[in-house]
Structure formats: structure tokens, C-alpha cells
Amino acid sequence: MKFCTTRTPKKAAFSPMEVIIKGMAPDGGLFMPESIPVLSQTELNDFIKLPYPKLAAEILHKYFDCFSMAELTADAEAAYGFENFPTVPLDLCVVEPRLFMLELWHGPTCAFKDMALQMMPRMLSRALSKQRKKRLALVAAATSGDTGKAAMEGFRDVPGTKIKVYYPHNGVSPIQRLQMATQAGENVSVSAIRGNFDDAQSAVKEMFARKDVQKMLARGNAFLTSANSINFARLAPQIVYYVYAYVRMLRSHAITMGETVDVVVPSGNFGNVLSAYFAKRMGVPFGRLIVASNKNRVLADFFRTGVYDCNRAFYHTTSPSMDILRSSNLERLLYLVAGPERTARWMKDLAQTGRFCVSADVLSRLQAEFCGIWVDEPEVADTIRRTFREDGYLIDTHTAVGVAAFRQYSERPQASRRILVASTASPFKFPRDVLTAILGDAPQDDFEAAQTLAAISGRPIPRALRDLRERPVRFTNVVDREEMADDLADYLRD
Ligand SMILES: *Cc1c(COP(=O)(O)O)cnc(C)c1O
């Protein structure tokens, strides 16, 4: 497979190795495969028999043919094995006759990001070792809460790499902060930055272009790469679980081959829902993709009006991993429907004015496949309570945005018979908000709240969260945006 970029008219000049290693395209855009491989119904049928790691290797090999099937299988078996996923890699739960929950949070950090971030570092490390020039990969990641922890856990002690994570000071939940501050590993570091996620993300993107940063890296025989979903190697492992979900529904006879399933994805940076779109383009019979937003409803507004406008208030919600106004991966969708010239123009508008507006023909093409629904905070809480009381099923605040969107969408005549909702985090990761939604009140302390939640639901607290309180805090650094490059230089030097 060759790769091109979202902003330069096709010259598919990049190899999969470059895509993994560089993370971000040299023109400031994002890497994209030159074409999307299509699965036949026979292949989909054959997938019914495969264990998850084998399926992962099959799908990833279509994009990353720089690795052999044996190499990808070995990496996937290690990534999704017992060590990281003590119960199952992922699960599909039928909560109501139409509502299928794809639980993606059985990994080490209890959020869906583990699905990609346990796999991607192994692929990067493999790519690095295949290269002749030995250089250190310095992974920089901005996080709205979950990526940072999952990335550090994925890169922890991976040879040839060091990782630096930036999260918004006061912008993540106490458990998320503690998860990052106590991270183990010799090659990890985390700093809080004064600002929100968008500030952190744009500062990380800028570092890639800064001359002084490049010089400092050259001195350290290092190069900068990204673990955010701007890296295509982050997105590709996410396609796998959507293929898997459809195949599992086939296997359990919930659907017949070819039957359309709609998919709801609680969205922030647009990476997860874009992966579902890739699965659809690869031939999985998905119908509409429902982009579920919280009160930061910039995506929902965009799919309704064709105007993407970041000039608006930013809200801290109970679903902090979705508190995002600049959804990086939307650029990839724009590229797919409108091509690189128009995408480059819109991205320039966005950088200069904080907004862009697509034409009516582009909007109608987007609306044929996507639908944006946003959910306000009281409805999130109400959905958690109702789903627990009526279905006996516990969901977290992010997933609740998806389930609320499901409730709105499933009323519509065009909705399909079965609807898949991505469940993106364990309810125990946000125990106080979940408990407050159910009981009207919660203890101040997250760990006490988690215990109460376990007691009322009869579900165990995930191991990774249970241990958190005993771990020593290693990182307490807070920096301004302007200090990030120096902070990175300090870290590279140790
Ligand atoms: C990251 C995250 C999201 C948003 O996913 P995107 O790929 O950024 O759209 C939703 N829920 C949880 C729990 C997350 O960690």
C-alpha cells in the first residue's frame, strides 16, 4: 500500500513504514492510504472463525504490508493477550433487542484507546528496527484524558522510544490525572499544560514544525512522532473492532449477511467514528454513522449545517475525553469526500479564522452517511440512570452520550433494525459522575465512589483502577504552552 496526504493532490509517495514512523505528513496534513481495500462477503464469512488477533493481522496487513502476516499476528497476540486484557480483548453486549454495545475498555487503562495503543507501539518499534539508521523516536502526545495514559502504557519500555504526554491542567478527571501521574516505565514523562485540550494539541502539532525543536532533536539523534489519532497507525487497529463487531453479530445470528447496521460513536477528535467509516468503505454493511457529541457540539452542528465553527464557548463536561473543538480526523473525511484541494483550503480557513464552510453538494454527501446528534448534560445523567435501572446495564459518561444519541436516532424511520453503540470507557473510570447520575449523590472520593458503584452493580472494579491508590505519584509538572519546547528538551536530555 502507498500513502498520500490530505492536502496535496495525489502523489502517493509514502510507504507504510514512513507513515508509522513520521506520524504527521510533511505538508501539515494527514496521511491516507491511496485507496481503501475492499473485503468480499466470502472474506467476511471467513472472519467468523478467527480469534481477534488473527483478524487484526488480516485487516492491518491490507494497509501495512511492510510487515508479514506472521509479524502482525505475533504483535496482535502480544497486544491483545491476557497480560493487557485480563478478561477479553473486547465484548459485545445485547442490552435491548436493537441496542448492541461494543465494549472497548477491557484493556490496561479502561478506555477504548488501549485497542489501538497496545498495538501501534509494537508496529512502530518493529518499523524502527527494520530501518538502517538507528534513531530514538520521541513520541509526543496531547491528551484530553485517555490517550495520554493509554499511550504511555503502550509505549512503556518499548525499545527505541521515549514518550512525553501533555494534558490540560484541571481538564481531566481525578482518576485520569492519577493514572498519568503514577505511570511506570523508564521512558515516560507527563506534564500538565495551562490551557485546554485544543491548546495542548495545537502546541504539539506546532512542535513538529519548529526549527529549534528540530535542532534539539538532531542533537539527541532523535525524531518526533505522534501517538495521537493523527497517526494513521493509531486509526488502523480501530477499524478491526468494527469488522469484528459485525462478524460477531453474524455469528450470533442477530443479523444476516449483508444486513445493514447503524453505528453510534461518542466522538471528540473524530478518530473512532472515522475508523467505523473505514470499515464501512471496506465493505462492512454499516448504514448511517451517528456522531454523538456532548455539549461541545461543534461536530453535530457541522453535520447539520456544513459550517464548522470553533468560535464558541468551550465547556468542561462530565465526558472530558470528548471536550474538543478541533476534531483533527475530520480532515480525513473531508479529503475522502471532497479531495485534497478543497480540504487544504478549508484547513487554511480553519487555521486563520477558526471556521470553514463546505458547499451544499459536499454537505449532502456527508449527510447521506453521517448524522450528528448532541446531548446535553442532564440527558447524559438521565441516560446513565435509566440504562442502569431499566436494562441493568452500567455505562460511563462518554458511552451515555452515545446511548442517548441512540435513543434519539432509533425513533427515526430510517434507523436500521440493529444499532451498534461504541462503549468507550469503563464506568469505573468516572465513578463519581456515574454514581451521582444513579443515586443523586456520591462520595467526594473517587475510590469510595467506585466501591459503592461496585456494590450496587455487582460488577468488579477493574484491576488497573483498583491498584491506583497505592502507586507513588511520579509526575507533578505544570507548564505554560510557551515552555513546552524547553520542557521537551529537558526530558530528552535526561
Ligand atoms: C478519546 C475518547 C473519545 C473520543 O474518541 P475520538 O476518537 O477522539 O472521537 C470518547 N470516549 C472516550 C472514553 C475517549 O477516551
Side-chain angles (χ1 to χ4, degrees):
M1 177 69 78
K2 284 271 179 209
F3 286 75
C4 47
T5 88
T6 48
R7 296 191 194 175
T8 307
K10 254 209 189 106
K11 216 176 21 153
F14 301 95
S15 71
M17 292 267 285
E18 283 177 282
V19 167
I20 294 189
I21 290 171
K22 292 204 170 92
M24 223 171 100
D27 61 0
L30 305 173
F31 286 122
M32 282 294 275
E34 68 175 334
S35 63
I36 298 180
V38 175
L39 302 163
S40 65
Q41 290 209 343
T42 319
E43 268 179 297
L44 276 179
N45 253 323
D46 290 345
F47 288 166
I48 293 179
K49 297 189 288 289
L50 295 187
Y52 194 76
K54 286 254 160 50
L55 177 64
E58 290 282 348
I59 304 292
L60 291 171
H61 189 63
K62 293 185 188 290
Y63 296 96
F64 295 100
D65 47 12
C66 52
F67 304 122
S68 69
M69 277 296 289
E71 287 171 331
L72 287 168
T73 306
D75 286 346
E77 279 171 350
Y80 301 114
F82 176 76
E83 184 102 346
N84 291 324
F85 294 82
T87 52
V88 283
L90 73 174
D91 212 356
L92 188 69
C93 282
V94 192
V95 172
E96 291 169 18
R98 295 182 75 181
L99 173 59
F100 287 65
M101 301 296 298
L102 183 62
E103 294 182 352
L104 299 169
W105 40 259
H106 294 278
T109 77
C110 305
F112 86 93
K113 310 261 187 336
D114 290 326
M115 298 303 294
L117 280 165
Q118 282 301 321
M119 188 62 194
M120 183 265 214
R122 291 167 211 271
M123 291 162 68
L124 175 64
S125 177
R126 211 177 261 291
L128 289 171
S129 69
K130 280 181 193 276
Q131 273 199 326
R132 238 171 283 124
K133 261 195 308 190
K134 292 281 170 269
R135 286 189 303 161
L136 178 80
L138 181 57
V139 181
T143 183
S144 56
D146 289 329
T147 299
K149 174 65 184 177
M152 287 193 288
E153 202 51 51
F155 277 99
R156 165 159 66 105
D157 300 325
V158 169
T161 70
K162 262 186 141 177
I163 175 163
K164 178 81 208 192
V165 165
Y166 295 97
Y167 69 87
H169 189 45
N170 302 328
V172 302
S173 84
I175 284 200
Q176 286 177 320
R177 190 188 56 74
L178 206 55
Q179 275 188 312
M180 290 189 275
T182 60
Q183 175 66 41
E186 289 305 310
N187 63 338
V188 306
S189 169
V190 55
S191 296
I193 93 156
R194 293 187 188 89
N196 62 29
F197 170 73
D198 293 305
D199 298 323
Q201 175 162 262
S202 55
V204 167
K205 278 192 188 165
E206 275 163 35
M207 286 208 284
F208 280 78
R210 280 176 54 162
K211 292 249 157 49
D212 55 338
V213 173
Q214 290 306 329
K215 266 203 200 120
M216 160 199 94
L217 290 165
R219 274 200 300 277
N221 193 30
F223 69 97
L224 203 56
T225 189
S226 165
N228 281 97
S229 52
I230 52 179
N231 191 325
F232 187 77
R234 251 295 292 282
L235 284 184
Q238 298 179 173
I239 303 171
V240 179
Y241 51 71
Y242 287 108
V243 179
Y244 174 87
Y246 192 83
V247 166
R248 264 276 296 262
M249 289 171 84
L250 277 177
R251 191 167 73 196
S252 64
H253 305 290
I255 52 170
T256 54
M257 177 58 91
E259 183 175 341
T260 300
V261 173
D262 297 324
V263 185
V264 183
V265 185
S267 293
N269 221 1
F270 206 72
N272 201 1
V273 68
L274 187 77
S275 303
Y277 184 60
F278 264 85
K280 180 178 180 185
R281 295 277 294 247
M282 288 181 80
V284 177
F286 286 150
R288 274 246 166 47
L289 304 178
I290 294 95
V291 182
S293 306
N294 65 21
K295 202 174 174 186
N296 294 298
R297 52 192 260 203
V298 61
L299 281 167
D301 289 349
F302 172 67
F303 284 105
R304 194 168 46 82
T305 63
V307 180
Y308 193 93
D309 193 348
C310 295
N311 305 305
R312 59 173 73 210
F314 174 89
Y315 299 103
H316 289 283
T317 71
T318 52
S319 44
S321 301
M322 295 159 60
D323 290 344
I324 292 175
L325 295 181
R326 289 184 189 241
S327 303
S328 302
N329 277 294
L330 186 64
E331 177 169 352
R332 287 192 161 104
L333 176 63
L334 296 172
Y335 165 83
L336 284 171
V337 299
E341 290 92 347
R342 282 191 281 181
T343 302
R345 205 170 63 233
W346 293 326
M347 290 303 115
K348 200 168 143 210
D349 289 349
L350 183 65
Q352 287 172 351
T353 66
R355 78 196 283 277
F356 66 88
C357 175
V358 302
S359 54
D361 67 307
V362 170
L363 180 61
S364 72
R365 289 176 64 190
L366 290 170
Q367 287 176 339
E369 308 204 75
F370 289 86
C371 158
I373 292 179
W374 77 279
V375 182
D376 209 347
E377 291 290 273
E379 200 180 339
V380 172
D382 194 51
T383 304
I384 293 172
R385 187 177 47 77
R386 268 185 59 195
T387 309
F388 182 67
R389 295 264 185 250
E390 291 165 23
D391 298 313
Y393 186 73
L394 197 60
I395 51 176
D396 93 293
T397 45
H398 302 75
T399 307
V401 173
V403 173
F406 158 83
R407 299 227 182 276
Q408 291 185 32
Y409 180 77
S410 60
E411 301 286 309
R412 300 185 188 175
Q414 76 266 33
S416 60
R417 193 168 68 99
R418 306 287 188 221
I419 299 174
L420 185 69
V421 178
S423 173
T424 54
S426 159
F428 289 99
K429 203 163 180 179
F430 305 92
R432 293 184 56 225
D433 289 326
V434 172
L435 201 61
T436 305
I438 294 172
L439 298 181
D441 196 13
Q444 274 301 310
D445 180 69
D446 264 334
F447 294 94
E448 254 176 73
Q451 268 156 7
T452 313
L453 205 55
I456 65 165
S457 68
R459 288 176 55 168
I461 304 174
R463 190 183 60 194
L465 297 178
R466 228 170 28 226
D467 298 346
L468 207 53
R469 206 171 6 191
E470 275 80 58
R471 299 238 188 115
V473 169
R474 297 179 63 201
F475 306 104
T476 52
N477 209 15
V478 185
V479 297
D480 283 325
R481 202 187 142 135
E482 297 70 37
E483 297 167 326
M484 279 171 66
D486 288 338
D487 183 56
L488 196 68
D490 286 347
Y491 174 53
L492 195 60
R493 242 176 269 124
D494 322 320

